[in-house]
Amino acid sequence: MCHRFTLLNGEEADRVVDWLRVVRRALAGGMGADTVVPPSFGRPGVVPFDAIDCYPGAESSVIVAEGSAAAAADASAPTAAPGELARIDLVWGIEVPWQKGLVFNARIESALSSSGMWRTAMEEGRCIVPVRAFYETRNVEARPESARAAGAATVSGVAAVPNDPAELTRGTVADTEQGVLGLEDARVATAPRPRGRRPQYRFAASDESALLLAGLRIGDRFALVTCEPDAVVGAVHTRMPLALAAPEALAWLDGRSDAASLLQRHLPVPLIAEEEPAPSKQPANPDQMSLF
């Protein structure tokens, strides 16, 4: 489950909104989304990571379509025609009466079932959470040292594909979520570790652009949508946030679009992975539920 991501500040999130607006115009004019260069956000050089990391219970910028329930509830959102994109601030994590903690992840399987707490959110509360990166704590076993040795050298903590095709599926988690195809071009390499704290990994876009994570909003709060992992995240964890390409993000924000069909055509966003040291600031309850 994802319980940590790196924020974009308001100005950076506004740049993402402007970029998506241009992409939408390009698509409407019959041009490809790849004709519009996305804004790039490298690692900040002077701001500590834990100062800009978001945990459940904190606010984050999210992108909504004006005229939706999410946009209408935020008085700070600029006035615009229905369907226009806007940035608003929402709290990560939804309070529910049957448990003490926050529900901050929404399983796509549950959201698509048209029942339970996500039914209305799928129709009226879809949003996009633009982030620099998200984090997952390893909950799958690393590949054996002998298997890793068959691969090429690593770059930024990501191992290249081995020459032996049999190595492609060894030590990874298959990606079968809604017909999504797993990336087969990278693996996270990890040295043997003593028992104790499980390592945590940072996942970011390979081109340092913002990751567009699918979200669902209820009231003034939101949850990240999670799915089966691609091969990069699957080497570390059994779930991941649903990261969308720009055209997919625009379709997600359109409540009239069929989410199941969108996900059947979805291709994973290329990611890079790096092992991170233990964060200096932890959420009040990192084990809050995310089973819905």
Side-chain angles (χ1 to χ4, degrees):
M1 63 179 178
C2 178
H3 59 79
R4 177 189 177 196
F5 62 78
T6 302
L7 293 160
L8 294 178
N9 63 36
E11 180 180 347
E12 292 167 336
D14 285 340
R15 290 172 59 194
V16 175
V17 173
D18 290 340
W19 166 56
L20 289 175
R21 289 170 178 159
V22 176
V23 170
R24 184 164 64 177
R25 289 196 294 269
L27 293 173
M31 302 172 63
D34 56 359
T35 62
V36 184
V37 179
S40 180
F41 305 100
R43 285 194 169 208
V46 295
V47 181
F49 281 118
D50 57 10
I52 58 174
D53 279 350
C54 186
Y55 295 98
E59 279 193 347
S60 173
S61 292
V62 304
I63 300 171
V64 298
E66 282 288 335
S68 68
D74 188 80
S76 66
T79 301
E84 180 57 276
L85 305 182
R87 173 181 64 85
I88 63 175
D89 292 328
L90 298 176
V91 176
W92 185 18
I94 298 169
E95 296 174 312
V96 292
W98 59 82
Q99 70 176 46
K100 182 178 180 181
L102 298 174
V103 175
F104 52 88
N105 287 170
R107 297 176 66 93
I108 190 61
E109 300 91 334
S110 298
L112 290 174
S113 68
S114 299
S115 62
M117 65 181 290
W118 305 119
R119 179 176 182 177
T120 301
M122 281 293 290
E123 296 174 354
E124 303 176 1
R126 298 186 204 174
C127 60
I128 291 293
V129 187
V131 307
R132 266 193 173 84
F134 66 87
Y135 297 80
E136 295 290 359
T137 301
R138 179 182 287 281
N139 74 350
V140 298
E141 294 301 320
R143 290 190 300 161
E145 190 67 32
S146 59
R148 287 197 304 273
T154 63
V155 178
S156 300
V158 182
V161 174
N163 293 326
D164 180 2
E167 295 295 335
L168 289 174
T169 57
R170 191 174 303 170
T172 67
V173 177
D175 187 355
T176 58
E177 175 65 15
Q178 299 300 322
V180 176
L181 299 177
L183 291 177
E184 296 291 357
D185 62 357
R187 297 290 182 270
V188 177
T190 308
R193 299 178 61 91
R195 291 184 178 181
R197 174 189 172 271
R198 287 182 176 270
Q200 190 171 80
Y201 290 82
R202 178 183 190 268
F203 296 94
S206 58
D207 61 359
E208 296 188 336
S209 62
L211 289 174
L212 305 176
L213 305 184
L216 291 174
R217 177 257 179 186
I218 297 179
D220 61 354
R221 295 172 175 269
F222 74 92
L224 290 180
V225 174
T226 67
C227 63
E228 293 285 339
D230 62 28
V232 177
V233 182
V236 171
H237 202 275
T238 54
R239 301 291 294 183
M240 68 175 288
L242 177 56
L244 301 173
E248 296 172 332
L250 292 169
W252 177 263
L253 289 173
D254 185 352
R256 299 167 300 177
S257 66
D258 181 63
S261 297
L262 167 66
L263 294 173
Q264 287 172 353
R265 300 189 302 270
H266 170 70
L267 292 176
V269 174
L271 299 173
I272 56 174
E274 295 177 291
E275 185 173 348
E276 286 289 310
S280 60
K281 184 164 56 179
Q282 296 286 351
N285 181 8
D287 295 320
Q288 292 161 329
M289 293 284 287
S290 59
L291 302 179
F292 300 91

